């Protein structure tokens, strides 16, 4: 298949908008790369530059080592799957899938074999004679993918392909795309604003904001070791909780003072604060909802000697788990707890943090100090 290299790639529009700023990345053959970020962050623009649908203002794009900046889209050996399916309404499923091969004057027998093989892989065989108006959203999306598969391109580019589907279909199609990647062993670049899609599909994730790459890493590392406040808040649902805290250092130990409690930090989190002389300075404490615990009579968590008395504002049951919402000082906090909790809105409860899972961020730069 193909490796892709982007070096110092920039996109500046005629109106002066700098949509993508110094994008650098090496994508290995057969990787599944996710571009994720809020609307307007530059992820689709970057994808379109790789496809050749947008000119590169400056920088260098190479596919399998070949310089691609000035190569026409049709000559890049790339297939793109769009958000709106882009099917021809007057053609059958078969003809939609065969269209690109016919344009390239591929022999009829080879077209038939390729279309039927793709239809088998995507469970479309029974639908080949239907037209798009007779298909569901999920079936249309599979047809769009089938049209890309039959071309056997070096690279698949997918621009929010599941955003028009309902929640159940999105889950099913995520599984289909993951299986497709394993079966075809191709390089895929996939754009989404849905961090759940990013976490479940990607071998590596590119998090973007305002045209700038914030972090490139595996899903697990992004979740466990976000490089800054934006990445920490963007990856995870519900998002990470953020609270203002003050650092106190006593000898070889460091503490975070928060709402009248002094939270002792483990050595690996204390060291950067001690080495950086953070004593007395304000920081942002980050803690994920699943790392906040409801303390019960029979419950002892690490004997850390700190806890917080709070009042539940909202209770949300999600079957196997419950989200509790409350305020800690001036901050709104979410905790993910077990479904057998007896806490309901208006009830008081005691919570504690898993200090090994605490993240600490510089309040000024928003960069991670310890995570």
């Amino acid at each position: 298949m193909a490796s892709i290299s982007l070096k110092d790639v920039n996109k500046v529009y005629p109106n002066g908008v700098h949509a993508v700023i110094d994008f650098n990345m090496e994508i290995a053959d057969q990787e599944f790369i996710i571009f994720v970020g809020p609307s307007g962050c530059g992820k689709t623009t970057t994808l379109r530059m790789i496809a050749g649908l947008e000119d590169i203002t400056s920088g260098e794009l190479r596919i399998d080592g070949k310089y691609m900046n000035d190569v026409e889209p049709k000559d890049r050996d790339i297939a793109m799957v769009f958000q709106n399916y882009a099917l021809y309404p007057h053609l059958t499923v078969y003809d939609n899938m065969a269209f690109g091969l016919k344009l390239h004057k591929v022999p009829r027998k080879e077209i038939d074999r390729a279309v039927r093989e793709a239809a088998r892989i995507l469970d479309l065989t029974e639908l080949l004679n239907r037209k798009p108006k007779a298909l569901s959203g999920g079936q249309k999306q599979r047809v769009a993918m089938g049209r890309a598969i039959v071309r056997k391109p070096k690279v698949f580019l997918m621009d929010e392909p599941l955003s028009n589907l309902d929640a159940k279909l999105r889950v099913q199609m995520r599984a289909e795309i993951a299986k497709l990647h394993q079966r075809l062993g191709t390089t895929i670049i996939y754009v989404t604003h849905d961090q759940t899609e990013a976490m479940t599909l990607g071998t590596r994730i590119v998090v973007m904001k305002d045209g700038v790459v914030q972090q490139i890493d595996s899903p697990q590392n992004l979740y466990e070791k976000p490089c800054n406040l934006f990445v920490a808040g963007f990856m995870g649902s519900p998002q990470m909780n953020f609270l203002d805290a003050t650092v106190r250092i006593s000898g070889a130990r460091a503490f975070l003072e928060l709402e009248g409690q002094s939270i002792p930090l483990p050595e690996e989190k204390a060291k950067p604060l001690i080495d950086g002389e953070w004593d007395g300075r304000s920081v942002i404490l980050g803690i994920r909802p699943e790392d906040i615990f409801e303390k019960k009579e029979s419950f002892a968590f690490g004997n850390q000697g700190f806890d917080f008395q709070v009042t539940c504002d909202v209770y949300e049951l999600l079957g196997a788990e419950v989200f509790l919402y409350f305020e800690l000082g001036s901050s709104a906090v979410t905790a993910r707890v077990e479904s057998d909790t007896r806490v309901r809105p208006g009830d008081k409860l005691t919570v504690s943090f898993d200090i090994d899972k605490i993240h600490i961020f510089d309040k000024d730069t928003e960069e991670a100090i310890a995570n």
Side-chain angles (χ1 to χ4, degrees):
M1 292 298 172
S3 59
I4 300 172
S5 173
L6 298 104
K7 293 184 178 178
D8 299 323
V9 170
N10 285 266
K11 177 64 181 180
V12 182
Y13 287 102
N15 63 2
V17 173
H18 202 159
V20 178
I21 303 169
D22 295 334
F23 192 107
N24 286 279
M25 189 176 187
E26 300 292 328
I27 300 172
D29 182 27
Q30 300 187 22
E31 273 201 280
F32 198 134
I33 299 297
I34 306 284
F35 292 171
V36 70
S39 298
C41 70
K43 55 189 186 295
T44 294
T45 301
T46 304
L47 193 80
R48 290 173 63 84
M49 286 192 288
I50 295 170
L53 302 176
E54 293 275 3
D55 292 331
I56 295 174
T57 305
S58 65
E60 187 178 281
L61 168 67
R62 291 183 180 271
I63 299 177
D64 269 350
K66 182 181 177 182
Y67 185 76
M68 286 285 170
N69 286 45
D70 303 320
V71 176
E72 290 293 316
K74 64 183 177 62
D75 298 323
R76 296 192 182 197
D77 201 5
I78 280 173
M80 193 156 180
V81 179
F82 295 93
Q83 178 179 350
N84 61 357
Y85 319 130
L87 302 178
Y88 295 106
H90 63 289
L91 298 181
T92 63
V93 168
Y94 183 100
D95 290 332
N96 264 288
M97 292 170 65
F99 188 81
L101 298 181
K102 289 178 179 177
L103 280 182
H104 285 82
K105 297 189 169 34
V106 175
R108 186 176 299 176
K109 283 187 178 180
E110 193 173 329
I111 291 175
D112 187 69
R113 182 195 57 76
V115 169
R116 294 190 184 280
E117 172 64 13
R120 183 189 64 79
I121 291 171
L122 293 166
D123 196 23
L124 293 170
T125 303
E126 303 299 319
L127 307 176
L128 287 175
N129 293 322
R130 292 192 190 179
K131 291 186 177 179
K133 66 180 180 181
L135 303 178
S136 69
Q139 289 168 338
K140 289 177 184 177
Q141 194 54 271
R142 294 210 304 274
V143 174
M145 290 178 187
R147 183 178 54 193
I149 289 170
V150 296
R151 291 179 50 201
K152 294 185 178 178
K154 287 183 177 179
V155 182
F156 285 99
L157 304 179
M158 299 187 179
D159 187 10
E160 302 206 38
L162 309 184
S163 62
N164 288 337
L165 305 182
D166 62 43
K168 184 179 178 181
L169 264 179
R170 279 204 302 273
V171 173
Q172 292 175 351
M173 287 303 299
R174 278 209 308 267
E176 291 295 326
I177 292 171
K179 287 192 288 187
L180 197 62
H181 178 244
Q182 293 169 3
R183 185 180 291 126
L184 300 177
T186 188
T187 305
I188 297 178
I189 304 177
Y190 185 109
V191 163
T192 182
H193 63 272
D194 185 333
Q195 53 89 21
T196 302
E197 283 180 26
M199 293 290 290
T200 54
L201 286 173
T203 53
R204 282 194 296 162
I205 300 173
V206 181
V207 183
M208 298 184 70
K209 177 190 177 189
D210 299 332
V212 178
V213 172
Q214 302 294 305
Q215 187 171 355
I216 302 175
D217 218 325
S218 67
Q220 186 171 4
N221 278 345
L222 275 178
Y223 193 76
E224 294 179 353
K225 299 178 180 179
C227 71
N228 60 32
L229 209 61
F230 175 79
V231 176
F234 193 82
M235 303 305 294
S237 181
Q239 76 163 39
M240 184 182 290
N241 298 293
F242 299 115
L243 303 115
D244 290 332
T246 302
V247 178
R248 293 297 177 206
I249 295 172
S250 176
R253 301 199 67 189
F255 303 81
L256 291 182
E257 292 188 350
L258 173 67
E259 297 302 317
Q261 295 288 352
S262 188
I263 303 175
L265 297 177
E267 184 178 349
E268 66 273 14
K269 297 186 190 300
K271 189 175 188 305
L273 295 174
I274 295 169
D275 293 346
E277 299 181 349
W278 280 83
D279 187 36
R281 295 170 63 180
S282 295
V283 294
I284 296 175
L285 180 156
I287 184 80
R288 294 203 180 274
E290 62 268 28
D291 299 322
I292 299 176
F293 297 86
E294 178 191 356
K295 295 188 75 170
K296 303 173 185 177
E297 287 183 14
S298 60
F299 180 82
F301 180 68
N303 297 317
Q304 300 297 341
F306 72 92
D307 50 45
F308 302 97
Q309 307 293 326
V310 297
T311 301
C312 177
D313 295 322
V314 179
Y315 164 98
E316 286 184 349
L317 174 65
L318 278 78
E321 59 189 10
V322 165
F323 294 156
L324 299 179
Y325 299 84
F326 53 87
E327 289 190 357
L328 192 54
S330 60
S331 301
V333 177
T334 306
R336 176 185 276 147
V337 301
E338 295 179 2
S339 60
D340 64 353
T341 181
R342 296 183 180 180
V343 174
R344 295 297 183 270
D347 291 350
K348 294 189 181 300
L349 69 151
T350 303
V351 296
S352 187
F353 298 170
D354 182 344
I355 62 169
D356 290 323
K357 301 293 181 65
I358 282 174
H359 301 256
I360 305 168
F361 301 93
D362 186 319
K363 198 169 185 177
D364 296 324
T365 66
E366 299 189 349
E367 297 294 315
I369 303 168
N371 55 30

